[in-house]
């Protein structure tokens, strides 16, 4: 499987998680509930961003050169989303938890849409089928190998 298809499949699951986050954030009864959700997001979104960066972004960078603008933007967005998830994992106040959760959901939706509309098509053009398949094998090994 091509790495871009593998990551697209992960996005489909991420959208389900974000839908759940958006639904539950409005009715957080305690900060503890939000912290549990923060831990789940760190494991899921965090692991997705990490693999995306290590496998796809690094490959693109070696093809296109360091400092390629769209990659810098994607990495800055990963950092913003991960930083906000870290805040959610430690939050003490339910209203603040709602604000953080809403930011994570909106940022992750916008970010994923940009990857789907701009970055993944760009990667498909820049890397070519053989590389996309080879990196897709690495993705499968990482996911199955834990
Ligand atoms: Fe990403
Ligand atoms: Fe992604």
């Amino acid at each position: 499987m091509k790495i871009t298809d593998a990551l697209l499949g992960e996005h489909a699951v991420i959208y389900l998680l974000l839908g759940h986050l958006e639904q539950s954030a409005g009715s957080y009864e305690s900060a503890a509930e939000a912290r549990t959700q923060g831990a789940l997001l760190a494991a899921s979104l965090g692991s997705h961003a990490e693999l995306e960066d290590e496998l796809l972004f690094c490959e693109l960078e070696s093809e296109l050169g360091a400092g390629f603008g769209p990659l810098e933007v994607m990495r800055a967005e990963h950092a913003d989303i991960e930083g906000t998830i870290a805040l959610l994992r430690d939050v003490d106040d339910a209203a603040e938890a709602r604000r953080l959760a809403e930011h994570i959901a909106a940022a992750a939706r916008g970010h994923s849409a940009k990857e789907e509309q701009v970055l993944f098509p760009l990667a498909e053009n820049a890397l070519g089928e053989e590389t996309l398949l080879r990196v897709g094998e690495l993705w499968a090994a990482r996911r199955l190998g834990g």
Side-chain angles (χ1 to χ4, degrees), residues 7 11 14 48-49 52 57 78 111-112 115 120:
L7 294 172
H11 280 194
I14 285 170
H48 171 76
E52 206 162 58
F57 294 3
H78 280 186
H111 171 81
S112 302
E115 288 179 340
F120 293 176

Side-chain angles (χ1 to χ4, degrees), residues 31-107:
E33 201 180 324
R35 288 196 294 269
T36 305
Q37 207 159 30
L40 176 71
L41 290 169
S44 51
L45 259 71
S47 131
H48 171 76
E50 199 178 300
L51 278 185
E52 206 162 58
D53 194 0
E54 281 178 32
L55 299 174
L56 183 67
F57 294 3
C58 290
E59 195 68 41
L60 260 179
E61 202 161 50
S62 63
E63 186 68 28
L64 301 171
F68 180 63
L71 273 185
E72 299 294 304
V73 174
M74 293 301 110
R75 283 189 170 130
E77 290 179 354
H78 280 186
D80 169 54
I81 294 164
E82 284 164 32
T84 314
I85 291 173
L87 293 175
L88 188 65
R89 292 184 75 173
D90 275 337
V91 76
D92 292 321
D93 174 73
E96 174 69 357
R98 267 197 298 283
R99 194 189 65 76
L100 293 171
E102 281 160 9
H103 176 76
I104 294 164

